[in-house]
Amino acid sequence: MAIEVRIPTILRSYTGGAKVVEGAGDTLADLLTDLDSRHAGLRGRLVTEAGALHRFVNVYVNDEDVRFLGALDAKLSDGDSVTILPAVAGGAFGFAAAAAISSHSAAAAAISSHSAATAVAAR
Amino acid sequence: MHVLSIDRSIIDAIVAHARRDHPDEACGVVAGAVGSDTPTRHIPMDNAARSMTFYEFDSMEHLRVWREMDDRDEEPVVIYHSHTATEAYPSRTDVSFAGEPGAHYLLVSTREPDSEEIRSFRIVDGVVTEEPVQIVEAGIDPHAVQSYMFGQSPATVDYECSGR
């Protein structure tokens, strides 16, 4: 029962520098709990305190973004490949993003609503 | 001290991309061989946010491009985006979301219609460090190099040209 997980540079401090680690689990949530037992702290960089996937971390199962597969409930099978990529994002909009380092979810919510607003305005 | 050394033709392509998407922010990557610190392959990316004040790579394009770099033993040497009404300096948002500690973060400001401000930064653990941008005129003479070092404020632009 092994699922290959590709770790981005910025999170390799949790995996002893390893680019690829293996884990197990029937869902993404199970997999992250399993990984956290060997790579303590990794889960906290991906999942908010409220128990949701961080807005600005992209997780893929094989070729699919997990947001389209049920996020943390995404089903996994032996042999799947999971890829983690921190979102590449930013911009001049300087709202309280400094707080994002400590409480990522608040800033994420602010950006989501901002993006939605500009999307509506663009129509 | 780090320096971003980049070919004139790539800078021109990045500026053209930023101008094309203005007033929305433009974003993209310049890939280079792993460990080379040399940007060689310009990859303009979609700004999924389509915003004048925010950019975000499309998640599927992001995966595709990162896999392609992996397959070619490349890494993102430069990650660039434009600010369309403010200076080319990382905002707090940029610093918060900077997730590639090995990359040069290149910013282009298109707020002036006739000139661009181009500056490069390292962003590691929330700390921003500006570095000079060395534009290599490969098409003319590979040894002829112009160095630009922009000061912290656009009002005090330092310019030096080192002919060898």
Side-chain angles (χ1 to χ4, degrees), chain B residues 2-19:
Chain B
H2 284 107
V3 176
L4 170 62
S5 189
I6 187 167
D7 199 273
R8 163 72 65 190
S9 62
I10 296 174
I11 286 289
D12 287 350
I14 289 171
V15 168
H17 180 205
R19 285 289 174 203

PDB file of all heavy atoms in Angstrom, chain B residues 2-19:
ATOM      1  N   HIS B   2      24.063  38.047  -4.867  1.00  0.00           N
ATOM      2  CA  HIS B   2      23.443  37.454  -6.045  1.00  0.00           C
ATOM      3  C   HIS B   2      23.225  38.499  -7.138  1.00  0.00           C
ATOM      4  O   HIS B   2      23.033  39.662  -6.859  1.00  0.00           O
ATOM      5  CB  HIS B   2      22.085  36.857  -5.669  1.00  0.00           C
ATOM      6  CG  HIS B   2      22.208  35.570  -4.940  1.00  0.00           C
ATOM      7  ND1 HIS B   2      21.970  35.447  -3.596  1.00  0.00           N
ATOM      8  CD2 HIS B   2      22.522  34.333  -5.372  1.00  0.00           C
ATOM      9  CE1 HIS B   2      22.145  34.192  -3.228  1.00  0.00           C
ATOM     10  NE2 HIS B   2      22.480  33.493  -4.288  1.00  0.00           N
ATOM     11  N   VAL B   3      23.275  38.036  -8.350  1.00  0.00           N
ATOM     12  CA  VAL B   3      22.962  38.877  -9.504  1.00  0.00           C
ATOM     13  C   VAL B   3      22.040  38.054 -10.394  1.00  0.00           C
ATOM     14  O   VAL B   3      22.221  36.853 -10.518  1.00  0.00           O
ATOM     15  CB  VAL B   3      24.251  39.218 -10.308  1.00  0.00           C
ATOM     16  CG1 VAL B   3      23.914  40.004 -11.562  1.00  0.00           C
ATOM     17  CG2 VAL B   3      25.238  39.985  -9.453  1.00  0.00           C
ATOM     18  N   LEU B   4      21.037  38.701 -10.962  1.00  0.00           N
ATOM     19  CA  LEU B   4      20.260  38.011 -11.993  1.00  0.00           C
ATOM     20  C   LEU B   4      20.860  38.381 -13.345  1.00  0.00           C
ATOM     21  O   LEU B   4      20.826  39.533 -13.752  1.00  0.00           O
ATOM     22  CB  LEU B   4      18.781  38.405 -11.947  1.00  0.00           C
ATOM     23  CG  LEU B   4      17.977  37.899 -13.162  1.00  0.00           C
ATOM     24  CD1 LEU B   4      17.982  36.360 -13.227  1.00  0.00           C
ATOM     25  CD2 LEU B   4      16.545  38.422 -13.119  1.00  0.00           C
ATOM     26  N   SER B   5      21.405  37.401 -14.019  1.00  0.00           N
ATOM     27  CA  SER B   5      21.971  37.610 -15.350  1.00  0.00           C
ATOM     28  C   SER B   5      20.990  37.008 -16.348  1.00  0.00           C
ATOM     29  O   SER B   5      20.667  35.820 -16.268  1.00  0.00           O
ATOM     30  CB  SER B   5      23.333  36.910 -15.415  1.00  0.00           C
ATOM     31  OG  SER B   5      23.997  37.265 -16.590  1.00  0.00           O
ATOM     32  N   ILE B   6      20.494  37.837 -17.249  1.00  0.00           N
ATOM     33  CA  ILE B   6      19.399  37.391 -18.126  1.00  0.00           C
ATOM     34  C   ILE B   6      19.554  38.016 -19.513  1.00  0.00           C
ATOM     35  O   ILE B   6      19.968  39.177 -19.643  1.00  0.00           O
ATOM     36  CB  ILE B   6      18.030  37.713 -17.476  1.00  0.00           C
ATOM     37  CG1 ILE B   6      16.871  37.111 -18.270  1.00  0.00           C
ATOM     38  CG2 ILE B   6      17.846  39.205 -17.259  1.00  0.00           C
ATOM     39  CD1 ILE B   6      15.540  37.120 -17.505  1.00  0.00           C
ATOM     40  N   ASP B   7      19.229  37.221 -20.501  1.00  0.00           N
ATOM     41  CA  ASP B   7      19.392  37.660 -21.892  1.00  0.00           C
ATOM     42  C   ASP B   7      18.393  38.773 -22.250  1.00  0.00           C
ATOM     43  O   ASP B   7      17.239  38.744 -21.845  1.00  0.00           O
ATOM     44  CB  ASP B   7      19.162  36.445 -22.805  1.00  0.00           C
ATOM     45  CG  ASP B   7      19.737  36.663 -24.193  1.00  0.00           C
ATOM     46  OD1 ASP B   7      19.032  37.228 -25.047  1.00  0.00           O
ATOM     47  OD2 ASP B   7      20.899  36.283 -24.384  1.00  0.00           O
ATOM     48  N   ARG B   8      18.862  39.717 -23.025  1.00  0.00           N
ATOM     49  CA  ARG B   8      18.020  40.835 -23.469  1.00  0.00           C
ATOM     50  C   ARG B   8      16.732  40.357 -24.135  1.00  0.00           C
ATOM     51  O   ARG B   8      15.651  40.904 -23.912  1.00  0.00           O
ATOM     52  CB  ARG B   8      18.830  41.724 -24.434  1.00  0.00           C
ATOM     53  CG  ARG B   8      18.012  42.682 -25.286  1.00  0.00           C
ATOM     54  CD  ARG B   8      17.426  43.839 -24.503  1.00  0.00           C
ATOM     55  NE  ARG B   8      18.470  44.710 -23.981  1.00  0.00           N
ATOM     56  CZ  ARG B   8      18.242  45.689 -23.097  1.00  0.00           C
ATOM     57  NH1 ARG B   8      17.032  45.895 -22.618  1.00  0.00           N
ATOM     58  NH2 ARG B   8      19.237  46.445 -22.676  1.00  0.00           N
ATOM     59  N   SER B   9      16.825  39.298 -24.946  1.00  0.00           N
ATOM     60  CA  SER B   9      15.639  38.841 -25.686  1.00  0.00           C
ATOM     61  C   SER B   9      14.556  38.327 -24.724  1.00  0.00           C
ATOM     62  O   SER B   9      13.356  38.476 -24.979  1.00  0.00           O
ATOM     63  CB  SER B   9      16.026  37.749 -26.692  1.00  0.00           C
ATOM     64  OG  SER B   9      16.543  36.623 -26.005  1.00  0.00           O
ATOM     65  N   ILE B  10      14.981  37.720 -23.589  1.00  0.00           N
ATOM     66  CA  ILE B  10      14.000  37.220 -22.607  1.00  0.00           C
ATOM     67  C   ILE B  10      13.349  38.395 -21.883  1.00  0.00           C
ATOM     68  O   ILE B  10      12.127  38.417 -21.686  1.00  0.00           O
ATOM     69  CB  ILE B  10      14.672  36.242 -21.619  1.00  0.00           C
ATOM     70  CG1 ILE B  10      15.180  35.003 -22.376  1.00  0.00           C
ATOM     71  CG2 ILE B  10      13.700  35.843 -20.516  1.00  0.00           C
ATOM     72  CD1 ILE B  10      15.994  34.048 -21.510  1.00  0.00           C
ATOM     73  N   ILE B  11      14.165  39.390 -21.502  1.00  0.00           N
ATOM     74  CA  ILE B  11      13.612  40.590 -20.854  1.00  0.00           C
ATOM     75  C   ILE B  11      12.597  41.263 -21.792  1.00  0.00           C
ATOM     76  O   ILE B  11      11.496  41.649 -21.374  1.00  0.00           O
ATOM     77  CB  ILE B  11      14.745  41.583 -20.476  1.00  0.00           C
ATOM     78  CG1 ILE B  11      15.514  41.065 -19.265  1.00  0.00           C
ATOM     79  CG2 ILE B  11      14.198  42.986 -20.219  1.00  0.00           C
ATOM     80  CD1 ILE B  11      14.748  41.116 -17.946  1.00  0.00           C
ATOM     81  N   ASP B  12      12.960  41.361 -23.069  1.00  0.00           N
ATOM     82  CA  ASP B  12      12.051  41.989 -24.030  1.00  0.00           C
ATOM     83  C   ASP B  12      10.730  41.221 -24.119  1.00  0.00           C
ATOM     84  O   ASP B  12       9.651  41.812 -24.200  1.00  0.00           O
ATOM     85  CB  ASP B  12      12.707  42.051 -25.421  1.00  0.00           C
ATOM     86  CG  ASP B  12      13.819  43.104 -25.481  1.00  0.00           C
ATOM     87  OD1 ASP B  12      13.943  43.892 -24.526  1.00  0.00           O
ATOM     88  OD2 ASP B  12      14.564  43.115 -26.479  1.00  0.00           O
ATOM     89  N   ALA B  13      10.801  39.873 -24.089  1.00  0.00           N
ATOM     90  CA  ALA B  13       9.583  39.054 -24.170  1.00  0.00           C
ATOM     91  C   ALA B  13       8.727  39.213 -22.918  1.00  0.00           C
ATOM     92  O   ALA B  13       7.493  39.248 -22.988  1.00  0.00           O
ATOM     93  CB  ALA B  13       9.970  37.587 -24.385  1.00  0.00           C
ATOM     94  N   ILE B  14       9.384  39.334 -21.757  1.00  0.00           N
ATOM     95  CA  ILE B  14       8.641  39.527 -20.503  1.00  0.00           C
ATOM     96  C   ILE B  14       7.943  40.888 -20.517  1.00  0.00           C
ATOM     97  O   ILE B  14       6.764  41.005 -20.151  1.00  0.00           O
ATOM     98  CB  ILE B  14       9.598  39.405 -19.291  1.00  0.00           C
ATOM     99  CG1 ILE B  14      10.046  37.945 -19.114  1.00  0.00           C
ATOM    100  CG2 ILE B  14       8.945  39.932 -18.014  1.00  0.00           C
ATOM    101  CD1 ILE B  14      11.155  37.748 -18.087  1.00  0.00           C
ATOM    102  N   VAL B  15       8.665  41.915 -20.949  1.00  0.00           N
ATOM    103  CA  VAL B  15       8.072  43.257 -21.005  1.00  0.00           C
ATOM    104  C   VAL B  15       6.905  43.280 -21.997  1.00  0.00           C
ATOM    105  O   VAL B  15       5.842  43.846 -21.717  1.00  0.00           O
ATOM    106  CB  VAL B  15       9.145  44.308 -21.380  1.00  0.00           C
ATOM    107  CG1 VAL B  15       8.499  45.639 -21.738  1.00  0.00           C
ATOM    108  CG2 VAL B  15      10.132  44.488 -20.234  1.00  0.00           C
ATOM    109  N   ALA B  16       7.068  42.597 -23.141  1.00  0.00           N
ATOM    110  CA  ALA B  16       5.985  42.549 -24.132  1.00  0.00           C
ATOM    111  C   ALA B  16       4.751  41.863 -23.540  1.00  0.00           C
ATOM    112  O   ALA B  16       3.621  42.316 -23.745  1.00  0.00           O
ATOM    113  CB  ALA B  16       6.459  41.813 -25.383  1.00  0.00           C
ATOM    114  N   HIS B  17       4.982  40.791 -22.766  1.00  0.00           N
ATOM    115  CA  HIS B  17       3.867  40.092 -22.114  1.00  0.00           C
ATOM    116  C   HIS B  17       3.167  41.021 -21.115  1.00  0.00           C
ATOM    117  O   HIS B  17       1.940  41.111 -21.085  1.00  0.00           O
ATOM    118  CB  HIS B  17       4.410  38.833 -21.415  1.00  0.00           C
ATOM    119  CG  HIS B  17       3.365  38.033 -20.699  1.00  0.00           C
ATOM    120  ND1 HIS B  17       3.663  37.211 -19.634  1.00  0.00           N
ATOM    121  CD2 HIS B  17       2.029  37.930 -20.884  1.00  0.00           C
ATOM    122  CE1 HIS B  17       2.555  36.637 -19.204  1.00  0.00           C
ATOM    123  NE2 HIS B  17       1.539  37.061 -19.938  1.00  0.00           N
ATOM    124  N   ALA B  18       3.970  41.739 -20.320  1.00  0.00           N
ATOM    125  CA  ALA B  18       3.394  42.647 -19.324  1.00  0.00           C
ATOM    126  C   ALA B  18       2.584  43.761 -19.990  1.00  0.00           C
ATOM    127  O   ALA B  18       1.500  44.125 -19.527  1.00  0.00           O
ATOM    128  CB  ALA B  18       4.510  43.235 -18.453  1.00  0.00           C
ATOM    129  N   ARG B  19       3.116  44.281 -21.106  1.00  0.00           N
ATOM    130  CA  ARG B  19       2.397  45.344 -21.837  1.00  0.00           C
ATOM    131  C   ARG B  19       1.095  44.816 -22.441  1.00  0.00           C
ATOM    132  O   ARG B  19       0.071  45.501 -22.444  1.00  0.00           O
ATOM    133  CB  ARG B  19       3.286  45.894 -22.970  1.00  0.00           C
ATOM    134  CG  ARG B  19       4.389  46.796 -22.502  1.00  0.00           C
ATOM    135  CD  ARG B  19       3.846  48.136 -22.008  1.00  0.00           C
ATOM    136  NE  ARG B  19       4.894  48.961 -21.418  1.00  0.00           N
ATOM    137  CZ  ARG B  19       4.653  49.939 -20.545  1.00  0.00           C
ATOM    138  NH1 ARG B  19       3.426  50.196 -20.137  1.00  0.00           N
ATOM    139  NH2 ARG B  19       5.643  50.650 -20.057  1.00  0.00           N
TER     140      ARG B  19
END
